[in-house]
Structures are given as structure tokens and as C-alpha cells.
Amino acid sequence: MPLKDERGKRMKRLICILLAALAAFSLTACQETPDEVIVVQKDSERMIEKAQSGEDNLEKENVPQTISHEFNRDKLNVTMDTVVDMPDNEMPIIQVQSADFTQEQADAFWDVLIGDTPMFLPGQKSRADIERQILNIEYILERETDSDTLAHFEKQLEIAKKEYETAPETADLIPADGQLEIQYVYGSDNDILTEYTGFRAYEDPENYFGKSFRVQNNYVNPIDGKPEIRGALMEYNTDLEDYQFYEEEVAIISDENAIPEEAENLTILPSEARIITEKLVSDTGVPFQAAKIKLMVNQNGEYAYLVDCQRVIDGIPCAIVSGLGVTYAEDADDYAAQWVYESFNVVVGNDGIITFRWNSPLTIGDLEASESAMLSFDNIMGIFEKMIPIMYEPESKDTQNNVTLHIDELRLELIRVLKENNIDKGIMIPVWRFYGVKTVSFTGNDGAEYTTFGERDCWLTVNAVDGSIIDLEKGY
């Protein structure tokens, strides 16, 4: 194998390990009432054209305010008892693109969350540390012949020599001011795997106690400069253990004017957590609104509220998609580029904000359609009744378990899908989202009946324009 190919594949393997890329995708659209969960066309332009010039059959005044409905398919039981939530505004289709955090955005959150707290940069290198790195790079350059790889390590050598000029004999603490700078991610051989703009700042960088704040913009390939991971992150914590509040959800808060009974350490109401979050949004000027509030618990048995926020575009709320990203590779050997869905959440406890995360910010572009022509509500409900058994009945047949799906939220929202054959750009489109709780009941080996803890999620996302089913893991 040529050395260039071997170096390229080695770099891809290293980056894959570092960034945990997933699988490939393609962008498509479906027929109005699909017979199975398979996307049969690849034509986002057709969908946009339909939204622009098609007949708008969604008569909002005729959509029922509440729905109570039930149907059964063998061992699948589906119930719906929900209010229908629709924005008053017209539903647009809008171009969006993955973005980096700007210095202005970083400054806004730094000022509100850090204020006058002294913060420091982590892990400063001494001259001896950098000298060892320079010797290692020079060793590689003496033996390398591939021109691309030579250029890569020559760049590293130039960077290391500049760092050496200003490096101290011993590593001391350097004050942090929240300024974005180019950062490098190094491999085991001290070669640069990837780079990004950002910073990490700690109140106590030696022990990682106290406040921490970081901005990590989109990863860029250090050799060709191409984007690799679209999922910039801004994060604040009051202590290292605060990460744990993201790990275990106890419940979604239904009564914001009462402290949950199990949350013995809390003295703050959920409604007060919402107010604190709304003030953070207002003070920083970001286009979000507080949505759901969840009760979280850490490994020490301490409780806090996690406030999920949703982006608002021209008065239209965008769907909250947690923990998912879309991946794409042009062929089987390519590193799979990834674009994470945007999320914005705040953890609040008795003393105020404990943690804050904003992941995968967006740049909002031009309108593709200002008033989307959409399917009738009856058509949407028909798609729901047809698709739910197709998607969830196999689970009951395969396991012989009884599956119950209870839909308690139905929302018309905007959601991001990918433009055709492109992971760099997307569009926000109107969708109907069916939220609820799924439980599974089964007979145990002892003959007793058991029911699993209810899993809450969105169980169906329907394109409001053409009726296609949106698969969030594929991005269309």
C-alpha cells in the first residue's frame, strides 16, 4: 500500500476513535402515505416546491383542540389523549447551516456566568515539554516522504517552535479571559489529529475544582482544512461533579409550582428554575425559550432541575432533539462527517445555575418558503394510524410482549433535515411530532406479569408538507 494511503487511513482511524463517528446517510422524501418505513425518493427540492406552490389543506381553525383516540393491533395498544399545540404564525421552510460560536456569544455567557471569578487556562507546557515534542516531529520529518504528510508535520513543527519561544521554564498558571484561539487535539505520537477554535478555563486547573467554562467549535481537519464534526459546544459547570446531573432523569415535571416529593434537598420550585433560565436567555440575547423541565439526580442522591430550551425562529418553536447526530461518508473508506442536532439546556439548583450547555449552534439563512402548503390534519392522522403499527407492531410480535403507546403531546414544530447529498447545509421544515410514553408488559419466567418503566420520547415525526416520515438518525 502506498505510504500516502497508509497515512491517510491511519489518520482516519485515529480521528474516528477520537470523535466516535457513526454511519452514512442520504436525504430523501416519501410518498404522502407510505406503506412501510422506507424512504423511496431523494428529492428535497420537490418537497420545497410543493411547500411553495402546492395547495394548503391545513385549516387550523378546524383542527381539534384536544384528541382522545384509541386503536389496537394484536399486541400493540395505542392511545391518544392530548392537546394539539400549533403556532399561530405561518410555518416556513428556512435554510440553516452549522455554525461556530462567535467571540460575541462567548463573551455574553462568560460575563453572565463567570463574572469576576478568576479563571485560568489548563495544562500549560514547559520548555522541556515542547522540546520533546519538537524532537519527535523532526524524527518523523527525517523519515517521511509523502508530500501531504510532510506539509502536515512541517506545520506542527512551526507551531511547536513558536510555542517554545514564549514557554516558561516551569509551567505556571495563566489567567484566562475567554478569548477564542486555535486549539489542537494531539494523538499518541504527538501528531495533530484535528483542530478547532475555542478555549478551556478553570477556577482551579490543577485539581479541577470550582467553576469551569469551555468553548469547543467545530473540528477541522488539520491537513486539508475541511470540516469534520459539526457540533460546536459551549459549556459551563460550577464543579466537575455537575456533569452527573445530565446522566439520570427521574421525571418530567408536570406541576411547576410544587417541589417533587422525592427531591428532599431542593428548596427551589420548578417555576423558579424556569425564571432563572429565562433570565439567562434574556441576558445573553439568544433565540431560545424555556420548554420542558426535568427532575435529575446525581450519584450522591442530590436533585436538580434540567430546563430544556428550544430555538425559536420568527415566533415558531423548533423541536428538541436530544443526543442525536447525522453522519455521512461518500464511500466506505471515508471518515464519516457528523452534524449533531442543536440542544440548549440549563441545570438549576437551590443556588441558581449549576451547569449550562449549548451544543451545535445554527446559522439561520434565507427562506425557502414563507408560508408552507401543508397536508390536512385528517391526512396527518391517517398517516399516524397507518405508520405506528408498521413501526412498533414488530416489537410486540417478535417478543410476544404487549406494547402500549400513549400519546399525550401533539405539536406542529420546525425540525432540521439535511439538504440533498449535503451534510454542510440543512433546512428547517414544519413537522407534526407525536410525543408520549411507551411501556412493555410481559410474563416472567415465574408466571407473574411485569411492566417496564415507561420510556418517554417522540414516537413519530411526520413531514407536514408531504407526509413523509422523518428519520432523525438519517437526517431526513
Short mmCIF file of all heavy atoms in Angstrom, two decimals, residues 10 129-143 153 156-157 186-192:
data_model
loop_
_atom_site.label_atom_id
_atom_site.label_comp_id
_atom_site.label_asym_id
_atom_site.label_seq_id
_atom_site.Cartn_x
_atom_site.Cartn_y
_atom_site.Cartn_z
N ARG A 10 -4.55 5.78 8.47
CA ARG A 10 -4.19 5.86 9.89
C ARG A 10 -4.81 7.09 10.53
O ARG A 10 -5.35 7.03 11.65
CB ARG A 10 -2.67 5.90 10.02
CG ARG A 10 -2.17 6.06 11.45
CD ARG A 10 -0.67 5.95 11.49
NE ARG A 10 -0.16 6.29 12.79
CZ ARG A 10 0.15 7.53 13.16
NH1 ARG A 10 -0.03 8.52 12.31
NH2 ARG A 10 0.61 7.77 14.37
N ASP A 129 8.82 20.27 27.88
CA ASP A 129 7.73 19.53 27.23
C ASP A 129 7.72 19.79 25.73
O ASP A 129 7.59 18.86 24.91
CB ASP A 129 6.38 19.96 27.82
CG ASP A 129 6.23 19.57 29.28
OD1 ASP A 129 6.83 18.55 29.67
OD2 ASP A 129 5.52 20.27 30.01
N ILE A 130 7.85 21.06 25.35
CA ILE A 130 7.79 21.41 23.92
C ILE A 130 9.05 20.94 23.19
O ILE A 130 8.98 20.52 22.03
CB ILE A 130 7.60 22.93 23.77
CG1 ILE A 130 6.28 23.34 24.43
CG2 ILE A 130 7.60 23.33 22.30
CD1 ILE A 130 6.04 24.83 24.46
N GLU A 131 10.18 20.96 23.86
CA GLU A 131 11.41 20.48 23.23
C GLU A 131 11.30 19.00 22.87
O GLU A 131 11.73 18.58 21.80
CB GLU A 131 12.59 20.71 24.17
CG GLU A 131 13.94 20.39 23.54
CD GLU A 131 15.10 20.75 24.44
OE1 GLU A 131 14.85 21.12 25.62
OE2 GLU A 131 16.25 20.66 23.97
N ARG A 132 10.69 18.20 23.75
CA ARG A 132 10.48 16.77 23.45
C ARG A 132 9.56 16.61 22.24
O ARG A 132 9.79 15.75 21.38
CB ARG A 132 9.89 16.07 24.67
CG ARG A 132 10.91 15.78 25.77
CD ARG A 132 10.36 14.82 26.81
NE ARG A 132 9.26 15.40 27.55
CZ ARG A 132 9.41 16.11 28.67
NH1 ARG A 132 10.62 16.33 29.16
NH2 ARG A 132 8.35 16.60 29.30
N GLN A 133 8.53 17.46 22.14
CA GLN A 133 7.63 17.40 21.01
C GLN A 133 8.35 17.76 19.71
O GLN A 133 8.14 17.12 18.67
CB GLN A 133 6.45 18.36 21.25
CG GLN A 133 5.40 18.31 20.16
CD GLN A 133 4.26 19.27 20.45
OE1 GLN A 133 4.14 19.81 21.53
NE2 GLN A 133 3.43 19.49 19.45
N ILE A 134 9.21 18.80 19.74
CA ILE A 134 9.95 19.21 18.55
C ILE A 134 10.87 18.09 18.06
O ILE A 134 10.93 17.78 16.86
CB ILE A 134 10.76 20.49 18.85
CG1 ILE A 134 9.80 21.68 19.01
CG2 ILE A 134 11.78 20.75 17.75
CD1 ILE A 134 10.49 22.95 19.47
N LEU A 135 11.56 17.43 18.97
CA LEU A 135 12.46 16.33 18.60
C LEU A 135 11.69 15.19 17.95
O LEU A 135 12.15 14.57 16.97
CB LEU A 135 13.22 15.83 19.83
CG LEU A 135 14.26 16.80 20.41
CD1 LEU A 135 14.80 16.25 21.75
CD2 LEU A 135 15.39 17.03 19.42
N ASN A 136 10.49 14.91 18.46
CA ASN A 136 9.67 13.84 17.90
C ASN A 136 9.22 14.18 16.48
O ASN A 136 9.25 13.34 15.57
CB ASN A 136 8.45 13.60 18.79
CG ASN A 136 7.60 12.45 18.30
OD1 ASN A 136 8.07 11.33 18.18
ND2 ASN A 136 6.34 12.74 17.99
N ILE A 137 8.81 15.44 16.26
CA ILE A 137 8.38 15.85 14.92
C ILE A 137 9.55 15.81 13.94
O ILE A 137 9.42 15.34 12.80
CB ILE A 137 7.77 17.27 14.98
CG1 ILE A 137 6.49 17.26 15.83
CG2 ILE A 137 7.45 17.78 13.57
CD1 ILE A 137 5.92 18.63 16.10
N GLU A 138 10.71 16.29 14.37
CA GLU A 138 11.89 16.27 13.49
C GLU A 138 12.28 14.84 13.13
O GLU A 138 12.71 14.57 11.99
CB GLU A 138 13.05 16.99 14.17
CG GLU A 138 12.84 18.50 14.27
CD GLU A 138 13.95 19.19 15.05
OE1 GLU A 138 14.65 18.51 15.84
OE2 GLU A 138 14.11 20.41 14.87
N TYR A 139 12.10 13.91 14.06
CA TYR A 139 12.38 12.50 13.79
C TYR A 139 11.46 11.98 12.67
O TYR A 139 11.90 11.25 11.77
CB TYR A 139 12.20 11.69 15.07
CG TYR A 139 12.40 10.20 14.90
CD1 TYR A 139 13.68 9.63 14.95
CD2 TYR A 139 11.30 9.35 14.71
CE1 TYR A 139 13.86 8.26 14.79
CE2 TYR A 139 11.47 7.99 14.55
CZ TYR A 139 12.75 7.45 14.59
OH TYR A 139 12.92 6.08 14.44
N ILE A 140 10.18 12.36 12.75
CA ILE A 140 9.22 11.93 11.72
C ILE A 140 9.57 12.54 10.37
O ILE A 140 9.56 11.85 9.33
CB ILE A 140 7.79 12.31 12.14
CG1 ILE A 140 7.37 11.54 13.40
CG2 ILE A 140 6.80 12.06 11.00
CD1 ILE A 140 6.05 11.98 13.98
N LEU A 141 9.92 13.84 10.34
CA LEU A 141 10.22 14.52 9.08
C LEU A 141 11.44 13.94 8.39
O LEU A 141 11.53 13.93 7.15
CB LEU A 141 10.41 16.02 9.35
CG LEU A 141 9.13 16.81 9.68
CD1 LEU A 141 9.49 18.22 10.10
CD2 LEU A 141 8.19 16.83 8.49
N GLU A 142 12.40 13.45 9.15
CA GLU A 142 13.61 12.87 8.55
C GLU A 142 13.30 11.60 7.77
O GLU A 142 14.03 11.25 6.84
CB GLU A 142 14.63 12.55 9.66
CG GLU A 142 15.27 13.78 10.27
CD GLU A 142 16.15 13.43 11.46
OE1 GLU A 142 16.26 12.22 11.76
OE2 GLU A 142 16.73 14.34 12.08
N ARG A 143 12.22 10.93 8.12
CA ARG A 143 11.92 9.62 7.51
C ARG A 143 10.70 9.65 6.58
O ARG A 143 10.43 8.69 5.89
CB ARG A 143 11.71 8.59 8.63
CG ARG A 143 13.01 8.25 9.33
CD ARG A 143 12.77 7.74 10.74
NE ARG A 143 14.05 7.38 11.37
CZ ARG A 143 14.90 8.29 11.87
NH1 ARG A 143 14.62 9.56 11.81
NH2 ARG A 143 16.05 7.90 12.41
N PHE A 153 3.29 17.78 9.10
CA PHE A 153 4.22 17.80 10.23
C PHE A 153 5.10 19.05 10.22
O PHE A 153 5.56 19.50 11.29
CB PHE A 153 5.07 16.53 10.24
CG PHE A 153 4.32 15.34 10.77
CD1 PHE A 153 3.81 14.38 9.90
CD2 PHE A 153 4.10 15.19 12.13
CE1 PHE A 153 3.11 13.29 10.39
CE2 PHE A 153 3.41 14.10 12.61
CZ PHE A 153 2.90 13.15 11.75
N GLN A 156 3.12 21.44 12.12
CA GLN A 156 3.23 21.16 13.55
C GLN A 156 4.56 21.68 14.11
O GLN A 156 4.60 22.23 15.23
CB GLN A 156 3.13 19.66 13.80
CG GLN A 156 1.75 19.07 13.57
CD GLN A 156 1.72 17.64 14.03
OE1 GLN A 156 1.87 17.37 15.22
NE2 GLN A 156 1.54 16.73 13.11
N LEU A 157 5.62 21.49 13.34
CA LEU A 157 6.94 21.94 13.81
C LEU A 157 6.98 23.46 13.96
O LEU A 157 7.52 23.99 14.94
CB LEU A 157 8.03 21.48 12.82
CG LEU A 157 9.47 21.81 13.21
CD1 LEU A 157 9.85 21.16 14.53
CD2 LEU A 157 10.42 21.38 12.09
N TYR A 186 -4.09 16.32 19.97
CA TYR A 186 -2.91 15.54 19.63
C TYR A 186 -3.17 14.05 19.79
O TYR A 186 -3.92 13.62 20.66
CB TYR A 186 -1.73 15.95 20.52
CG TYR A 186 -1.26 17.36 20.30
CD1 TYR A 186 -1.78 18.40 21.07
CD2 TYR A 186 -0.32 17.66 19.32
CE1 TYR A 186 -1.35 19.71 20.88
CE2 TYR A 186 0.11 18.96 19.12
CZ TYR A 186 -0.41 19.98 19.89
OH TYR A 186 0.01 21.27 19.69
N GLY A 187 -2.50 13.26 18.95
CA GLY A 187 -2.55 11.82 19.06
C GLY A 187 -1.45 11.29 19.96
O GLY A 187 -0.69 12.04 20.56
N SER A 188 -1.35 9.98 20.03
CA SER A 188 -0.36 9.35 20.92
C SER A 188 1.07 9.63 20.49
O SER A 188 2.00 9.57 21.30
CB SER A 188 -0.60 7.83 20.95
OG SER A 188 -0.51 7.28 19.65
N ASP A 189 1.27 9.95 19.20
CA ASP A 189 2.61 10.25 18.70
C ASP A 189 2.87 11.75 18.64
O ASP A 189 3.78 12.21 17.96
CB ASP A 189 2.80 9.66 17.30
CG ASP A 189 2.73 8.14 17.31
OD1 ASP A 189 3.12 7.56 18.35
OD2 ASP A 189 2.29 7.56 16.31
N ASN A 190 2.03 12.53 19.35
CA ASN A 190 2.13 13.99 19.36
C ASN A 190 1.85 14.61 18.00
O ASN A 190 2.21 15.77 17.75
CB ASN A 190 3.51 14.46 19.86
CG ASN A 190 3.60 14.44 21.37
OD1 ASN A 190 2.61 14.65 22.05
ND2 ASN A 190 4.79 14.18 21.87
N ASP A 191 1.23 13.88 17.07
CA ASP A 191 0.79 14.49 15.83
C ASP A 191 -0.61 15.06 16.02
O ASP A 191 -1.38 14.62 16.86
CB ASP A 191 0.83 13.49 14.67
CG ASP A 191 0.00 12.25 14.95
OD1 ASP A 191 -0.23 11.96 16.14
OD2 ASP A 191 -0.43 11.59 13.99
N ILE A 192 -0.93 16.09 15.25
CA ILE A 192 -2.21 16.77 15.40
C ILE A 192 -3.29 15.97 14.68
O ILE A 192 -3.23 15.77 13.47
CB ILE A 192 -2.15 18.20 14.83
CG1 ILE A 192 -1.11 19.02 15.60
CG2 ILE A 192 -3.50 18.87 14.92
CD1 ILE A 192 -0.91 20.41 15.05
#
